[in-house]
Amino acid sequence: MRKVIVFLSLLVIIIVASAFTEEDKNNIKESTAFQTEISSVPTQQETLLSLEVNIPFIGTSFNGFREAVAFKESQGRYHVVNTLGYLGKYQFGRSTLERFNIYNTHNFLNTPELQEDAFVALCSLNKWILRKDIKRSVGKKINGIVITESGILAAAHLSGAGNVKKYLRSHGQNTFKDAYGSSIQHYMKLFSGYDTSFIEANRKPTV
């Protein structure tokens, strides 16, 4: 009888241990899958090819504009962090996020609504910084490209408003390329003609 009890006790311990082991394996798989998404970044070759990729066209509204920018930046993925540490669907730098009092990057990556609000806030800020240049430059041609407000805002998202000012005021002579080879001129052309009138120029937008 004692042997039977010992055998049954050992059997219960083995079953319980197996269950925990299987659960741990599942947790590891889930964690690894999430980490892969967080860490997935384009290779240099993929980045160069992406300069020529056709962005899906979903209309000229502001929603069409932001989804086009998102596709170019991250293929619309909220959890992506690139090789330079830029974050999320719109590839924000940490210093830009801190401007909007966003310091928790883990929370930022896991909160789509916050990313969308941050994009609108940045567009609003850039529109205020570049308001005079928008007024002076929209409708003109620089290096064969018709300047539009949406092109200006997209270029500011890429390079910062200050670099766009330099580009416009030098009539395209003072240009900028990011680490992956995307230029102000390329963004001016790629994101031309969207309706960004929805965005209000604001010196101190909040998220």
mmCIF file of all heavy atoms in Angstrom, residues 86-122:
data_model
loop_
_atom_site.group_PDB
_atom_site.id
_atom_site.type_symbol
_atom_site.label_atom_id
_atom_site.label_comp_id
_atom_site.label_asym_id
_atom_site.label_seq_id
_atom_site.Cartn_x
_atom_site.Cartn_y
_atom_site.Cartn_z
ATOM 1 N N TYR A 86 14.976 54.747 -33.465
ATOM 2 C CA TYR A 86 13.722 55.468 -33.705
ATOM 3 C C TYR A 86 12.550 54.517 -33.515
ATOM 4 O O TYR A 86 12.619 53.337 -33.875
ATOM 5 C CB TYR A 86 13.731 56.089 -35.100
ATOM 6 C CG TYR A 86 14.638 57.284 -35.182
ATOM 7 C CD1 TYR A 86 15.999 57.132 -35.477
ATOM 8 C CD2 TYR A 86 14.160 58.565 -34.939
ATOM 9 C CE1 TYR A 86 16.855 58.222 -35.526
ATOM 10 C CE2 TYR A 86 14.998 59.663 -34.991
ATOM 11 C CZ TYR A 86 16.342 59.491 -35.283
ATOM 12 O OH TYR A 86 17.176 60.574 -35.323
ATOM 13 N N LEU A 87 11.458 55.067 -32.977
ATOM 14 C CA LEU A 87 10.424 54.229 -32.381
ATOM 15 C C LEU A 87 9.068 54.311 -33.065
ATOM 16 O O LEU A 87 8.585 55.396 -33.394
ATOM 17 C CB LEU A 87 10.225 54.649 -30.913
ATOM 18 C CG LEU A 87 11.466 54.620 -30.018
ATOM 19 C CD1 LEU A 87 11.347 55.676 -28.925
ATOM 20 C CD2 LEU A 87 11.648 53.259 -29.411
ATOM 21 N N GLY A 88 8.454 53.149 -33.235
ATOM 22 C CA GLY A 88 7.041 53.080 -33.550
ATOM 23 C C GLY A 88 6.666 53.300 -34.999
ATOM 24 O O GLY A 88 7.497 53.348 -35.898
ATOM 25 N N LYS A 89 5.376 53.443 -35.189
ATOM 26 C CA LYS A 89 4.777 53.551 -36.514
ATOM 27 C C LYS A 89 5.342 54.715 -37.320
ATOM 28 O O LYS A 89 5.529 54.617 -38.534
ATOM 29 C CB LYS A 89 3.255 53.706 -36.354
ATOM 30 C CG LYS A 89 2.465 53.774 -37.645
ATOM 31 C CD LYS A 89 0.974 53.872 -37.345
ATOM 32 C CE LYS A 89 0.152 53.997 -38.620
ATOM 33 N NZ LYS A 89 -1.297 54.103 -38.324
ATOM 34 N N TYR A 90 5.629 55.818 -36.637
ATOM 35 C CA TYR A 90 6.118 57.012 -37.318
ATOM 36 C C TYR A 90 7.605 57.275 -37.064
ATOM 37 O O TYR A 90 8.128 58.314 -37.455
ATOM 38 C CB TYR A 90 5.295 58.234 -36.904
ATOM 39 C CG TYR A 90 3.824 58.086 -37.233
ATOM 40 C CD1 TYR A 90 2.904 57.730 -36.250
ATOM 41 C CD2 TYR A 90 3.360 58.265 -38.530
ATOM 42 C CE1 TYR A 90 1.563 57.566 -36.546
ATOM 43 C CE2 TYR A 90 2.018 58.113 -38.846
ATOM 44 C CZ TYR A 90 1.123 57.763 -37.845
ATOM 45 O OH TYR A 90 -0.213 57.592 -38.151
ATOM 46 N N GLN A 91 8.265 56.334 -36.383
ATOM 47 C CA GLN A 91 9.704 56.405 -36.149
ATOM 48 C C GLN A 91 10.126 57.712 -35.456
ATOM 49 O O GLN A 91 10.862 58.536 -35.998
ATOM 50 C CB GLN A 91 10.461 56.206 -37.460
ATOM 51 C CG GLN A 91 10.303 54.810 -38.043
ATOM 52 C CD GLN A 91 10.980 53.741 -37.187
ATOM 53 O OE1 GLN A 91 12.164 53.507 -37.308
ATOM 54 N NE2 GLN A 91 10.212 53.083 -36.317
ATOM 55 N N PHE A 92 9.663 57.872 -34.241
ATOM 56 C CA PHE A 92 9.996 59.043 -33.432
ATOM 57 C C PHE A 92 11.344 58.872 -32.753
ATOM 58 O O PHE A 92 11.673 57.790 -32.264
ATOM 59 C CB PHE A 92 8.941 59.269 -32.342
ATOM 60 C CG PHE A 92 7.718 59.998 -32.807
ATOM 61 C CD1 PHE A 92 6.641 59.313 -33.327
ATOM 62 C CD2 PHE A 92 7.660 61.379 -32.725
ATOM 63 C CE1 PHE A 92 5.509 59.985 -33.753
ATOM 64 C CE2 PHE A 92 6.539 62.070 -33.157
ATOM 65 C CZ PHE A 92 5.458 61.371 -33.677
ATOM 66 N N GLY A 93 12.098 59.962 -32.674
ATOM 67 C CA GLY A 93 13.296 59.989 -31.847
ATOM 68 C C GLY A 93 12.913 60.284 -30.407
ATOM 69 O O GLY A 93 11.888 60.908 -30.132
ATOM 70 N N ARG A 94 13.740 59.819 -29.476
ATOM 71 C CA ARG A 94 13.439 60.022 -28.056
ATOM 72 C C ARG A 94 13.368 61.500 -27.685
ATOM 73 O O ARG A 94 12.546 61.913 -26.866
ATOM 74 C CB ARG A 94 14.486 59.304 -27.202
ATOM 75 C CG ARG A 94 14.294 57.803 -27.164
ATOM 76 C CD ARG A 94 15.416 57.096 -26.434
ATOM 77 N NE ARG A 94 15.121 55.685 -26.212
ATOM 78 C CZ ARG A 94 15.239 54.736 -27.132
ATOM 79 N NH1 ARG A 94 15.659 55.059 -28.349
ATOM 80 N NH2 ARG A 94 14.953 53.470 -26.852
ATOM 81 N N SER A 95 14.240 62.325 -28.268
ATOM 82 C CA SER A 95 14.240 63.752 -27.929
ATOM 83 C C SER A 95 12.939 64.424 -28.372
ATOM 84 O O SER A 95 12.426 65.314 -27.696
ATOM 85 C CB SER A 95 15.444 64.450 -28.559
ATOM 86 O OG SER A 95 15.408 64.332 -29.967
ATOM 87 N N THR A 96 12.403 63.977 -29.510
ATOM 88 C CA THR A 96 11.122 64.524 -29.973
ATOM 89 C C THR A 96 9.999 64.113 -29.027
ATOM 90 O O THR A 96 9.138 64.937 -28.680
ATOM 91 C CB THR A 96 10.810 64.038 -31.393
ATOM 92 O OG1 THR A 96 11.854 64.461 -32.278
ATOM 93 C CG2 THR A 96 9.492 64.609 -31.892
ATOM 94 N N LEU A 97 10.004 62.866 -28.604
ATOM 95 C CA LEU A 97 8.971 62.400 -27.677
ATOM 96 C C LEU A 97 9.029 63.160 -26.354
ATOM 97 O O LEU A 97 7.990 63.514 -25.787
ATOM 98 C CB LEU A 97 9.137 60.902 -27.422
ATOM 99 C CG LEU A 97 8.836 59.981 -28.605
ATOM 100 C CD1 LEU A 97 9.090 58.531 -28.223
ATOM 101 C CD2 LEU A 97 7.404 60.159 -29.079
ATOM 102 N N GLU A 98 10.243 63.430 -25.898
ATOM 103 C CA GLU A 98 10.390 64.166 -24.630
ATOM 104 C C GLU A 98 9.823 65.576 -24.744
ATOM 105 O O GLU A 98 9.386 66.150 -23.748
ATOM 106 C CB GLU A 98 11.863 64.195 -24.232
ATOM 107 C CG GLU A 98 12.365 62.837 -23.751
ATOM 108 C CD GLU A 98 13.863 62.789 -23.539
ATOM 109 O OE1 GLU A 98 14.525 63.854 -23.687
ATOM 110 O OE2 GLU A 98 14.388 61.702 -23.229
ATOM 111 N N ARG A 99 9.828 66.112 -25.944
ATOM 112 C CA ARG A 99 9.236 67.440 -26.152
ATOM 113 C C ARG A 99 7.743 67.430 -25.838
ATOM 114 O O ARG A 99 7.165 68.452 -25.473
ATOM 115 C CB ARG A 99 9.471 67.875 -27.604
ATOM 116 C CG ARG A 99 9.126 69.324 -27.872
ATOM 117 C CD ARG A 99 9.754 69.788 -29.167
ATOM 118 N NE ARG A 99 9.651 71.232 -29.322
ATOM 119 C CZ ARG A 99 10.288 71.938 -30.243
ATOM 120 N NH1 ARG A 99 11.097 71.332 -31.086
ATOM 121 N NH2 ARG A 99 10.136 73.246 -30.309
ATOM 122 N N PHE A 100 7.126 66.255 -25.991
ATOM 123 C CA PHE A 100 5.702 66.101 -25.687
ATOM 124 C C PHE A 100 5.490 65.386 -24.353
ATOM 125 O O PHE A 100 4.426 64.827 -24.105
ATOM 126 C CB PHE A 100 5.011 65.321 -26.817
ATOM 127 C CG PHE A 100 5.133 65.981 -28.166
ATOM 128 C CD1 PHE A 100 5.688 65.293 -29.242
ATOM 129 C CD2 PHE A 100 4.723 67.288 -28.364
ATOM 130 C CE1 PHE A 100 5.808 65.894 -30.483
ATOM 131 C CE2 PHE A 100 4.843 67.900 -29.604
ATOM 132 C CZ PHE A 100 5.389 67.198 -30.661
ATOM 133 N N ASN A 101 6.536 65.409 -23.512
ATOM 134 C CA ASN A 101 6.478 64.795 -22.174
ATOM 135 C C ASN A 101 6.199 63.297 -22.224
ATOM 136 O O ASN A 101 5.506 62.744 -21.353
ATOM 137 C CB ASN A 101 5.422 65.504 -21.307
ATOM 138 C CG ASN A 101 5.785 66.949 -21.033
ATOM 139 O OD1 ASN A 101 6.938 67.261 -20.735
ATOM 140 N ND2 ASN A 101 4.810 67.838 -21.156
ATOM 141 N N ILE A 102 6.742 62.640 -23.232
ATOM 142 C CA ILE A 102 6.648 61.185 -23.335
ATOM 143 C C ILE A 102 8.037 60.613 -23.044
ATOM 144 O O ILE A 102 8.974 60.814 -23.821
ATOM 145 C CB ILE A 102 6.171 60.745 -24.730
ATOM 146 C CG1 ILE A 102 4.769 61.307 -25.016
ATOM 147 C CG2 ILE A 102 6.167 59.220 -24.843
ATOM 148 C CD1 ILE A 102 4.304 61.105 -26.440
ATOM 149 N N TYR A 103 8.168 59.932 -21.914
ATOM 150 C CA TYR A 103 9.473 59.413 -21.490
ATOM 151 C C TYR A 103 9.517 57.883 -21.423
ATOM 152 O O TYR A 103 10.594 57.301 -21.469
ATOM 153 C CB TYR A 103 9.834 59.985 -20.118
ATOM 154 C CG TYR A 103 9.931 61.495 -20.116
ATOM 155 C CD1 TYR A 103 8.848 62.282 -19.718
ATOM 156 C CD2 TYR A 103 11.090 62.143 -20.536
ATOM 157 C CE1 TYR A 103 8.927 63.673 -19.728
ATOM 158 C CE2 TYR A 103 11.182 63.530 -20.550
ATOM 159 C CZ TYR A 103 10.090 64.284 -20.144
ATOM 160 O OH TYR A 103 10.168 65.652 -20.172
ATOM 161 N N ASN A 104 8.363 57.272 -21.304
ATOM 162 C CA ASN A 104 8.298 55.814 -21.209
ATOM 163 C C ASN A 104 8.164 55.222 -22.610
ATOM 164 O O ASN A 104 7.066 55.144 -23.159
ATOM 165 C CB ASN A 104 7.112 55.402 -20.323
ATOM 166 C CG ASN A 104 7.081 53.913 -20.037
ATOM 167 O OD1 ASN A 104 7.551 53.103 -20.830
ATOM 168 N ND2 ASN A 104 6.517 53.553 -18.899
ATOM 169 N N THR A 105 9.285 54.812 -23.182
ATOM 170 C CA THR A 105 9.265 54.324 -24.568
ATOM 171 C C THR A 105 8.560 52.977 -24.681
ATOM 172 O O THR A 105 7.960 52.676 -25.718
ATOM 173 C CB THR A 105 10.688 54.228 -25.143
ATOM 174 O OG1 THR A 105 11.496 53.411 -24.290
ATOM 175 C CG2 THR A 105 11.315 55.607 -25.258
ATOM 176 N N HIS A 106 8.635 52.157 -23.649
ATOM 177 C CA HIS A 106 7.932 50.868 -23.684
ATOM 178 C C HIS A 106 6.428 51.096 -23.772
ATOM 179 O O HIS A 106 5.732 50.459 -24.578
ATOM 180 C CB HIS A 106 8.273 50.046 -22.447
ATOM 181 C CG HIS A 106 7.578 48.713 -22.401
ATOM 182 N ND1 HIS A 106 7.982 47.646 -23.169
ATOM 183 C CD2 HIS A 106 6.492 48.288 -21.691
ATOM 184 C CE1 HIS A 106 7.174 46.616 -22.942
ATOM 185 N NE2 HIS A 106 6.266 46.989 -22.043
ATOM 186 N N ASN A 107 5.929 52.007 -22.960
ATOM 187 C CA ASN A 107 4.504 52.344 -23.010
ATOM 188 C C ASN A 107 4.133 52.959 -24.350
ATOM 189 O O ASN A 107 3.071 52.666 -24.914
ATOM 190 C CB ASN A 107 4.164 53.316 -21.877
ATOM 191 C CG ASN A 107 2.700 53.691 -21.869
ATOM 192 O OD1 ASN A 107 1.827 52.851 -21.716
ATOM 193 N ND2 ASN A 107 2.416 54.975 -22.065
ATOM 194 N N PHE A 108 5.017 53.793 -24.885
ATOM 195 C CA PHE A 108 4.773 54.431 -26.183
ATOM 196 C C PHE A 108 4.621 53.378 -27.276
ATOM 197 O O PHE A 108 3.695 53.440 -28.087
ATOM 198 C CB PHE A 108 5.920 55.377 -26.514
ATOM 199 C CG PHE A 108 5.783 56.077 -27.843
ATOM 200 C CD1 PHE A 108 4.880 57.119 -28.009
ATOM 201 C CD2 PHE A 108 6.554 55.695 -28.932
ATOM 202 C CE1 PHE A 108 4.738 57.767 -29.227
ATOM 203 C CE2 PHE A 108 6.423 56.334 -30.155
ATOM 204 C CZ PHE A 108 5.512 57.372 -30.303
ATOM 205 N N LEU A 109 5.517 52.400 -27.300
ATOM 206 C CA LEU A 109 5.474 51.354 -28.321
ATOM 207 C C LEU A 109 4.217 50.503 -28.215
ATOM 208 O O LEU A 109 3.754 49.940 -29.210
ATOM 209 C CB LEU A 109 6.710 50.460 -28.213
ATOM 210 C CG LEU A 109 8.021 51.045 -28.716
ATOM 211 C CD1 LEU A 109 9.188 50.151 -28.331
ATOM 212 C CD2 LEU A 109 7.988 51.252 -30.223
ATOM 213 N N ASN A 110 3.668 50.413 -27.030
ATOM 214 C CA ASN A 110 2.503 49.556 -26.807
ATOM 215 C C ASN A 110 1.183 50.319 -26.742
ATOM 216 O O ASN A 110 0.166 49.741 -26.350
ATOM 217 C CB ASN A 110 2.706 48.740 -25.525
ATOM 218 C CG ASN A 110 3.728 47.641 -25.707
ATOM 219 O OD1 ASN A 110 3.437 46.609 -26.286
ATOM 220 N ND2 ASN A 110 4.939 47.876 -25.246
ATOM 221 N N THR A 111 1.209 51.602 -27.118
ATOM 222 C CA THR A 111 -0.020 52.410 -27.081
ATOM 223 C C THR A 111 -0.238 53.096 -28.425
ATOM 224 O O THR A 111 0.245 54.213 -28.659
ATOM 225 C CB THR A 111 0.055 53.469 -25.960
ATOM 226 O OG1 THR A 111 0.509 52.855 -24.750
ATOM 227 C CG2 THR A 111 -1.298 54.121 -25.733
ATOM 228 N N PRO A 112 -0.947 52.445 -29.346
ATOM 229 C CA PRO A 112 -1.181 53.028 -30.671
ATOM 230 C C PRO A 112 -1.807 54.418 -30.625
ATOM 231 O O PRO A 112 -1.432 55.296 -31.408
ATOM 232 C CB PRO A 112 -2.129 52.021 -31.333
ATOM 233 C CG PRO A 112 -1.788 50.718 -30.681
ATOM 234 C CD PRO A 112 -1.488 51.069 -29.246
ATOM 235 N N GLU A 113 -2.753 54.627 -29.712
ATOM 236 C CA GLU A 113 -3.422 55.931 -29.629
ATOM 237 C C GLU A 113 -2.423 57.036 -29.313
ATOM 238 O O GLU A 113 -2.516 58.142 -29.858
ATOM 239 C CB GLU A 113 -4.519 55.906 -28.552
ATOM 240 C CG GLU A 113 -5.654 54.933 -28.822
ATOM 241 C CD GLU A 113 -5.337 53.508 -28.347
ATOM 242 O OE1 GLU A 113 -4.204 53.283 -27.854
ATOM 243 O OE2 GLU A 113 -6.211 52.635 -28.494
ATOM 244 N N LEU A 114 -1.463 56.738 -28.445
ATOM 245 C CA LEU A 114 -0.447 57.723 -28.078
ATOM 246 C C LEU A 114 0.436 58.043 -29.276
ATOM 247 O O LEU A 114 0.801 59.206 -29.493
ATOM 248 C CB LEU A 114 0.395 57.179 -26.916
ATOM 249 C CG LEU A 114 1.454 58.120 -26.322
ATOM 250 C CD1 LEU A 114 0.819 59.414 -25.831
ATOM 251 C CD2 LEU A 114 2.196 57.420 -25.192
ATOM 252 N N GLN A 115 0.763 57.050 -30.067
ATOM 253 C CA GLN A 115 1.577 57.275 -31.263
ATOM 254 C C GLN A 115 0.837 58.148 -32.278
ATOM 255 O O GLN A 115 1.431 59.033 -32.902
ATOM 256 C CB GLN A 115 1.976 55.938 -31.892
ATOM 257 C CG GLN A 115 2.903 55.108 -31.021
ATOM 258 C CD GLN A 115 3.486 53.919 -31.744
ATOM 259 O OE1 GLN A 115 3.767 53.973 -32.940
ATOM 260 N NE2 GLN A 115 3.689 52.817 -31.031
ATOM 261 N N GLU A 116 -0.445 57.901 -32.447
ATOM 262 C CA GLU A 116 -1.234 58.701 -33.386
ATOM 263 C C GLU A 116 -1.333 60.153 -32.908
ATOM 264 O O GLU A 116 -1.189 61.090 -33.701
ATOM 265 C CB GLU A 116 -2.634 58.100 -33.558
ATOM 266 C CG GLU A 116 -2.670 56.700 -34.131
ATOM 267 C CD GLU A 116 -2.135 56.600 -35.556
ATOM 268 O OE1 GLU A 116 -2.007 57.630 -36.241
ATOM 269 O OE2 GLU A 116 -1.822 55.467 -35.977
ATOM 270 N N ASP A 117 -1.553 60.332 -31.615
ATOM 271 C CA ASP A 117 -1.643 61.684 -31.052
ATOM 272 C C ASP A 117 -0.305 62.419 -31.179
ATOM 273 O O ASP A 117 -0.269 63.621 -31.458
ATOM 274 C CB ASP A 117 -2.059 61.622 -29.581
ATOM 275 C CG ASP A 117 -3.510 61.217 -29.391
ATOM 276 O OD1 ASP A 117 -4.271 61.239 -30.383
ATOM 277 O OD2 ASP A 117 -3.881 60.864 -28.256
ATOM 278 N N ALA A 118 0.781 61.687 -30.973
ATOM 279 C CA ALA A 118 2.107 62.298 -31.078
ATOM 280 C C ALA A 118 2.394 62.742 -32.507
ATOM 281 O O ALA A 118 3.003 63.798 -32.729
ATOM 282 C CB ALA A 118 3.180 61.322 -30.609
ATOM 283 N N PHE A 119 1.944 61.976 -33.476
ATOM 284 C CA PHE A 119 2.147 62.360 -34.875
ATOM 285 C C PHE A 119 1.395 63.643 -35.206
ATOM 286 O O PHE A 119 1.943 64.555 -35.851
ATOM 287 C CB PHE A 119 1.699 61.237 -35.815
ATOM 288 C CG PHE A 119 1.853 61.589 -37.268
ATOM 289 C CD1 PHE A 119 3.113 61.643 -37.851
ATOM 290 C CD2 PHE A 119 0.747 61.870 -38.057
ATOM 291 C CE1 PHE A 119 3.270 61.977 -39.195
ATOM 292 C CE2 PHE A 119 0.889 62.205 -39.401
ATOM 293 C CZ PHE A 119 2.150 62.254 -39.974
ATOM 294 N N VAL A 120 0.146 63.735 -34.762
ATOM 295 C CA VAL A 120 -0.646 64.947 -35.004
ATOM 296 C C VAL A 120 0.007 66.147 -34.316
ATOM 297 O O VAL A 120 0.107 67.234 -34.898
ATOM 298 C CB VAL A 120 -2.100 64.764 -34.509
ATOM 299 C CG1 VAL A 120 -2.872 66.088 -34.588
ATOM 300 C CG2 VAL A 120 -2.807 63.702 -35.335
ATOM 301 N N ALA A 121 0.480 65.940 -33.094
ATOM 302 C CA ALA A 121 1.128 67.027 -32.346
ATOM 303 C C ALA A 121 2.391 67.509 -33.051
ATOM 304 O O ALA A 121 2.643 68.715 -33.145
ATOM 305 C CB ALA A 121 1.459 66.566 -30.929
ATOM 306 N N LEU A 122 3.184 66.581 -33.568
ATOM 307 C CA LEU A 122 4.411 66.970 -34.267
ATOM 308 C C LEU A 122 4.097 67.719 -35.552
ATOM 309 O O LEU A 122 4.758 68.717 -35.874
ATOM 310 C CB LEU A 122 5.261 65.734 -34.571
ATOM 311 C CG LEU A 122 6.598 66.012 -35.256
ATOM 312 C CD1 LEU A 122 7.475 66.947 -34.415
ATOM 313 C CD2 LEU A 122 7.338 64.711 -35.552
#
